[in-house]
């Protein structure tokens, strides 16, 4: 079948990510979907041949991973949704004992995407679905050992605890399970940084730039100045001055220190160091 031969050829090219440009990759993925449509394999049916199911699943998984690398979360979400009917099938449907599916990685990436959007309800819905599907204690044990799934699970736990320093450490290059996770991890750190910045505005009248660098997980004081300018903060004499908050003039020094301690405890655990310089 010409369409099947074309699909196999396309997949061989897509398996080598460095060999194609962004435009070429997008074109190849479009051709793969057209081939699947002509083979009536884009959506699994009871009559779809096992080897075609495997080819279709691989094509969609490659599309999902490429969408991440191209920083296209909407396209990734579409691929994730298209993959669900394939993931609901038993392994025997694919005619091979070797499970070459990348379901674990793609599901972990989807969980991480939900975290970056702050969609905690969606996050727990997907996670609970995995737990129900796992069923037995042994299967749940495997789920708990799954690096791709446990990475976003741990991040969510730390976010709920306010342990932003642990989140930041886990999003460094050596802490992510694969390069694709690094894309969403950077977005997540940006979200956390904005949250810490908002809390800092309410807790502090000002902060030294050097300490703000640690607080905001920025690499240099120059990055702090740039970030401060983006938020409309005043930078003067080595300090950042936050915009006055409503009712801030009425707050006592003790109240400011208490609020400061709460922000730092929840943000990075540096309360003792920073409380002494406010």
């Amino acid at each position: 079948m010409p369409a099947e031969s074309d699909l196999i050829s396309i997949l061989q090219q897509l398996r080598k990510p460095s060999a194609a440009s962004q435009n070429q990759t997008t074109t190849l993925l479009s051709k793969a979907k057209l081939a699947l449509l002509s083979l009536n394999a884009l959506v699994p049916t009871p009559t779809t041949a096992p080897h075609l199911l495997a080819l279709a699943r691989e094509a969609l998984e490659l599309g999902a991973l490429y969408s991440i690398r191209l920083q296209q979360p909407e396209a990734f979400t579409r691929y994730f949704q298209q993959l669900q009917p394939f993931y609901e099938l038993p392994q025997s449907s694919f005619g091979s004992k070797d499970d070459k599916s990348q379901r674990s990685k793609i599901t972990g990436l989807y969980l991480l995407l939900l975290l970056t959007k702050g969609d905690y309800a969606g996050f727990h819905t997907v996670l609970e679905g995995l737990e129900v599907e796992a069923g037995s204690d042994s299967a749940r044990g495997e789920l708990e050992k799954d690096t791709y799934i446990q990475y976003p699970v741990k991040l969510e736990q730390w976010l709920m605890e306010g342990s932003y320093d642990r989140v930041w450490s886990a999003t460094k290059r050596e802490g992510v399970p694969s390069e694709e996770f690094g894309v969403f991890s950077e977005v997540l750190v940006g979200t956390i940084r904005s949250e810490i910045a908002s809390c800092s505005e309410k807790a502090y009248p000002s902060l030294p730039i050097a300490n703000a660098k640690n607080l905001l997980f920025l690499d240099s004081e120059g990055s702090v100045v740039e970030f401060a300018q983006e938020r409309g903060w005043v930078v003067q004499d080595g300090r950042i001055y936050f915009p006055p908050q409503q009712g801030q003039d009425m707050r006592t020094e003790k109240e400011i220190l208490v609020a400061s301690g709460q922000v730092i405890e929840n943000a990075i655990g540096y309360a003792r160091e920073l409380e002494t310089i406010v």
Side-chain angles (χ1 to χ4, degrees), residues 126-189:
V126 174
L127 188 58
E128 288 168 10
L130 293 174
E131 292 172 347
V132 170
E133 183 181 341
S136 66
D137 291 339
S138 60
R140 289 197 177 197
E142 290 299 317
L143 187 65
E144 291 173 357
K145 295 177 183 177
D146 191 314
T147 303
Y148 295 126
I149 300 298
Q150 290 307 308
Y151 179 74
V153 168
K154 289 179 180 177
L155 290 182
E156 192 267 347
Q157 290 173 347
W158 294 332
L159 285 171
M160 293 299 97
E161 296 169 0
S163 301
Y164 298 142
D165 58 323
R166 301 184 73 175
V167 175
W168 181 72
S169 296
T171 56
K172 291 183 178 179
R173 183 181 297 273
E174 62 272 15
V176 296
S178 71
E179 64 173 303
E180 293 88 1
F181 281 82
V183 175
F184 286 153
S185 294
E186 290 178 9
V187 176
L188 186 60
V189 169

Side-chain angles (χ1 to χ4, degrees), residues 94 241 269:
F94 297 91
Y241 292 87

Side-chain angles (χ1 to χ4, degrees), residues 242-267:
F242 302 116
Q245 302 294 310
Q246 185 175 2
Q248 190 176 60
D249 293 341
M250 302 297 292
R251 299 171 68 187
T252 65
E253 181 179 354
K254 181 179 179 180
E255 288 173 330
I256 292 175
L257 286 174
V258 169
S260 301
Q262 290 173 342
V263 171
I264 301 308
E265 181 181 357
N266 290 336

Side-chain angles (χ1 to χ4, degrees), residues 164-165 168 192-193 196-197 199-201 203-204 207-218 224 233 242 260 263-270 274:
Y164 298 142
D165 58 323
W168 181 72
I192 292 171
R193 185 175 291 126
I196 293 174
C199 291
S200 298
E201 290 174 341
Y204 300 112
L207 274 178
I209 291 177
N211 293 90
K213 179 173 75 71
N214 293 329
L215 180 63
L216 296 168
F217 305 114
L218 291 168
V224 177
W233 297 341
F242 302 116
S260 301
V263 171
I264 301 308
E265 181 181 357
N266 290 336
I268 58 173
Y270 290 163
L274 290 179

Side-chain angles (χ1 to χ4, degrees), residues 114-125:
L114 293 175
L115 281 186
T116 65
K117 293 181 174 181
D119 186 358
Y120 294 104
F123 179 93
H124 284 284
T125 297

Side-chain angles (χ1 to χ4, degrees), residues 17-57:
S18 60
S21 66
Q22 178 175 336
N23 289 336
Q24 290 173 326
T25 298
T26 303
T27 300
L28 287 171
L29 289 171
S30 297
K31 289 182 177 180
K33 282 192 172 184
L34 288 173
L36 288 172
L37 280 171
S38 65
L39 293 167
N40 196 29
L42 188 58
V43 178
T45 68
T47 59
T48 308
H51 73 285
L52 287 180
L53 287 174
L55 290 173
R57 183 183 64 183

